[in-house]
């Protein structure tokens, strides 16, 4: 895994959560959904009240519209969210502080500003690349006359790490498996080459790995992966993400079934629907994979919707097997990524691979919490099980006892609001 860390995009963020009070908001732009939420923090560390959460699919036309259309839509959604509030949610005359959780690669210039490096996950608004994302949102909020301040621009993994850390200070890694995939972890500042010369007050920093873009010739790439990549809007990019994330697993399965239907007659007459990219979504893959009816009725129903009907039970079983192979590979690669991080920070029982890390500090295995969130992990039980099983396999039973994988529903958004609170 060593080449892994040569490829990562390092993004330092001083990381310290203090005890805060007040009401804070988060807007999260994911790959499939956007979420808006309001949290209230009491003075005590344990008091965190998530008061309102809204979750909506991102209208698909926005993904290749213009920055004006996208941000106007987000500002409009925030306006409606705030309108629902009764009196007392925010003190009169006090600006509402907002975290913008943004799950695309950004080059930060401060906690509340950063420019878009590139789009991923099917978004294509080219004029936004190189522009300050937080500023775009602030301008749209001002235009609508909303009394809201974009106080932090937060990567979703960093948000999830913040919530994990808030609940449990042993949390040092956060991973998202949703439409896309990414990870971040807490690193010693002196082990980050890119941060040399930066003035930091804290001994550790969060590294946003942007691991979706990891690539290695050792990855088990098939012709299906190669074709999927070539036909995507971001070819030659995000190779790891395209093997493990929710946006793509369904399409890998579709490509395998399509080839089987073209090269044999087991699916009967060929269906033109099956040739349609992304028509088979990953939630349908999990529904087929986890179909426990003896006749695999759910598989039959989903295949029928894809224009393939009257498929014999034997072939339906084969389709389940394809779902299994694709998801098992994804789960195991995901686990290898997590194990790679644990190895880097000396939490895999080996003592770490960072030069200069003192042996005495790393030899003793410490409790290590990995915060995980995202729709794929939360909803696809078999993906989760394969990932966790492989993590134990790689780390070994003994070290695994110290590694806790914790699900963090909405962790990225709630944690981003916490970061705003701690930056006030
Ligand atoms: P976002 O990526 O927009 O932040 P989520 O983290 O909720 O949103 O992830 C949504 C993605 O999770 C979906 O696009 C899909 O790929 C995956 N997903 C959601 N539900 C399921 C499911 N039941 N089975 C498998 N994958 C799912
Ligand atoms: Mg997300």
């Amino acid at each position: 895994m060593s080449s892994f860390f040569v490829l990562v995009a390092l993004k330092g963020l001083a990381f310290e959560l203090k005890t805060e009070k007040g009401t804070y908001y988060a807007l999260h732009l994911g790959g499939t959904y956007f979420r808006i939420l309001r949290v209230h923090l009491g003075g005590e560390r344990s008091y965190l009240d998530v008061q309102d959460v809204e979750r909506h699919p991102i209208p698909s036309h926005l993904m290749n519209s213009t920055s004006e259309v996208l941000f106007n839509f987000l500002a409009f959604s925030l306006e409606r969210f705030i309108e629902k509030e009764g009196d007392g949610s925010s003190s009169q005359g006090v600006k509402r502080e907002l975290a913008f959780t943004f799950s695309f690669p950004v080059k930060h210039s401060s906690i509340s500003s950063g420019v878009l490096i590139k789009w991923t996950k099917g978004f294509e608004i080219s004029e936004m690349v190189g522009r300050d994302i937080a500023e775009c949102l602030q301008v749209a909020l001002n235009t609508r006359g909303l009394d809201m301040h974009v106080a932090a621009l937060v990567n979703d993994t960093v948000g999830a790490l913040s919530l994990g850390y808030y609940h449990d200070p042993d949390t040092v890694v956060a991973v998202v498996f949703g439409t896309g995939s990414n990870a971040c972890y807490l690193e010693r500042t002196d082990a980050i080459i890119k941060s040399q010369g930066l003035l930091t007050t804290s001994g550790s920093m969060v590294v946003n790995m942007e691991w979706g873009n990891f690539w290695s010739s050792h990855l088990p790439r098939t012709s299906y992966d190669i074709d999927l990549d070539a036909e995507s809007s971001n070819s030659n990019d995000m190779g790891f993400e395209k093997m493990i994330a929710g946006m793509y697993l369904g399409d890998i399965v579709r490509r395998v079934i399509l080839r089987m239907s073209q090269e044999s007659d087991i699916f009967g007459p060929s269906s033109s629907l099956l040739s349609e990219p992304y028509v088979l979504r990953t939630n349908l893959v999990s529904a087929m994979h986890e179909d426990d009816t003896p006749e695999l009725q759910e598989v039959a129903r989903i295949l029928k919707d894809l224009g393939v009907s009257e498929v014999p039970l034997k072939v339906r079983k084969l389709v389940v097997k394809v779902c299994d192979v694709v998801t098992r590979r994804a789960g195991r690669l995901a686990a290898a990524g997590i194990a790679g991080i644990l190895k880097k920070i000396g939490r895999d029982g080996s003592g770490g691979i960072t030069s200069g890390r003192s042996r005495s500090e790393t030899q003793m295995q410490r409790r290590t919490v990995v915060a995980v969130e995202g729709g794929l992990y939360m909803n696809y039980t078999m993906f989760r099980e394969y990932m966790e099983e492989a993590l134990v396999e790689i780390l070994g039973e003994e070290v695994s006892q110290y590694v806790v994988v914790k699900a963090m529903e909405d962790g990225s958004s709630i944690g981003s609001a916490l970061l705003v609170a701690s930056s006030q």
Side-chain angles (χ1 to χ4, degrees), residues 345-415:
I345 58 176
R347 303 289 187 106
D348 70 329
S350 72
I353 56 174
T354 302
S355 59
R357 194 181 287 277
S358 76
R359 288 190 73 79
S360 57
E361 193 189 324
T362 53
Q363 261 175 355
M364 195 146 63
Q365 189 63 37
R366 289 165 54 190
R367 182 173 176 272
T368 301
V369 179
V370 180
V372 186
E373 78 127 68
L376 180 69
Y377 180 83
M378 291 296 189
N379 302 307
Y380 196 165
T381 313
M382 289 306 290
F383 170 82
R384 194 165 62 228
E385 286 181 1
Y386 279 136
M387 191 205 90
E388 289 172 3
E389 182 185 87
L391 194 58
V392 174
E393 208 178 295
I394 298 167
L395 296 175
E397 293 282 346
E398 201 186 318
V399 172
S400 301
Q401 289 171 15
Y402 295 91
V403 177
V404 183
V405 177
K406 252 193 201 176
M408 290 278 146
E409 185 135 36
D410 283 328
S412 49
S413 323
I414 301 167

Side-chain angles (χ1 to χ4, degrees), residues 140-153:
L141 295 172
N142 296 348
T143 306
R144 293 202 85 86
L146 277 186
D147 205 15
M148 259 191 156
H149 170 234
V150 184
L153 178 63

Side-chain angles (χ1 to χ4, degrees), residues 51-70:
Q51 296 182 324
D52 193 6
V53 187
E54 271 187 17
R55 177 175 182 266
H56 305 284
I58 301 166
S60 56
H61 71 271
L62 293 181
M63 293 166 69
N64 46 19
S65 58
T66 63
S67 65
E68 209 184 332
V69 169
L70 175 67

Side-chain angles (χ1 to χ4, degrees), residues 9-256:
L10 290 179
K11 205 85 43 58
L13 197 73
F15 192 70
E16 192 183 341
L17 286 174
K18 294 170 275 179
T19 310
E20 302 301 335
K21 282 185 194 172
T23 300
Y24 301 93
Y25 297 79
L27 165 69
H28 175 189
L29 186 69
T32 306
Y33 298 99
F34 71 95
R35 297 165 185 73
I36 304 175
L37 57 77
R38 184 178 67 239
V39 303
H40 185 76
L41 288 172
E44 297 304 316
R45 223 184 140 76
S46 56
Y47 182 68
L48 166 68
D49 183 19
V50 182
Q51 296 182 324
D52 193 6
V53 187
E54 271 187 17
R55 177 175 182 266
H56 305 284
I58 301 166
S60 56
H61 71 271
L62 293 181
M63 293 166 69
N64 46 19
S65 58
T66 63
S67 65
E68 209 184 332
V69 169
L70 175 67
F71 284 99
N72 274 341
F73 173 82
L74 294 175
F76 169 70
S77 305
L78 276 165
E79 187 176 27
R80 277 196 318 198
F81 183 86
I82 288 169
E83 276 168 6
K84 281 193 324 191
E85 287 178 359
D87 290 344
S89 297
S90 171
S91 320
Q92 292 279 314
V94 177
K95 242 191 165 84
R96 292 173 168 90
E97 297 294 332
L98 173 73
F100 188 14
T101 316
F102 190 70
S103 12
F104 301 89
V106 161
K107 184 171 169 50
H108 271 271
S109 41
S110 75
I111 185 164
S112 59
S113 59
V115 298
L116 176 67
I117 297 172
K118 63 184 175 188
W119 285 115
T120 57
K121 300 179 278 195
F123 274 70
E124 281 181 282
I125 310 175
S126 56
E127 35 118 353
M128 274 183 65
V129 173
R131 288 177 62 188
D132 190 322
I133 298 303
E135 192 181 291
C136 288
L137 180 61
Q138 187 66 65
V139 168
L141 295 172
N142 296 348
T143 306
R144 293 202 85 86
L146 277 186
D147 205 15
M148 259 191 156
H149 170 234
V150 184
L153 178 63
V154 186
N155 181 266
D156 54 344
T157 59
V158 179
L161 185 65
S162 308
L163 183 66
Y165 187 83
Y166 180 84
H167 286 309
D168 186 338
D170 286 338
T171 311
V172 290
V173 179
V175 193
V176 171
F177 300 110
T179 309
S181 183
N182 189 15
C184 74
Y185 70 100
L186 202 57
E187 178 62 281
R188 282 183 0 193
T189 310
D190 63 3
I192 304 173
I193 294 165
K194 276 197 184 178
S195 81
Q196 280 171 8
L198 284 181
L199 287 177
T200 56
T201 50
S202 130
S204 49
M205 281 182 122
V206 177
V207 175
N208 167 11
M209 300 175 72
E210 291 298 343
W211 87 357
N213 200 24
F214 168 60
W215 189 251
S216 155
S217 58
H218 297 292
L219 286 173
R221 196 180 210 197
T222 65
S223 62
Y224 306 105
D225 301 303
I226 293 168
D227 292 348
L228 183 150
D229 177 61
E231 292 164 29
S232 66
S233 61
N234 57 343
S235 54
N236 290 316
D237 202 23
M238 308 302 278
F240 191 48
E241 175 163 278
K242 285 171 181 164
M243 288 178 142
I244 63 170
M247 175 164 174
Y248 303 103
L249 298 188
D251 209 52
I252 301 172
V253 171
R254 178 192 69 83
R255 284 167 188 277
V256 178

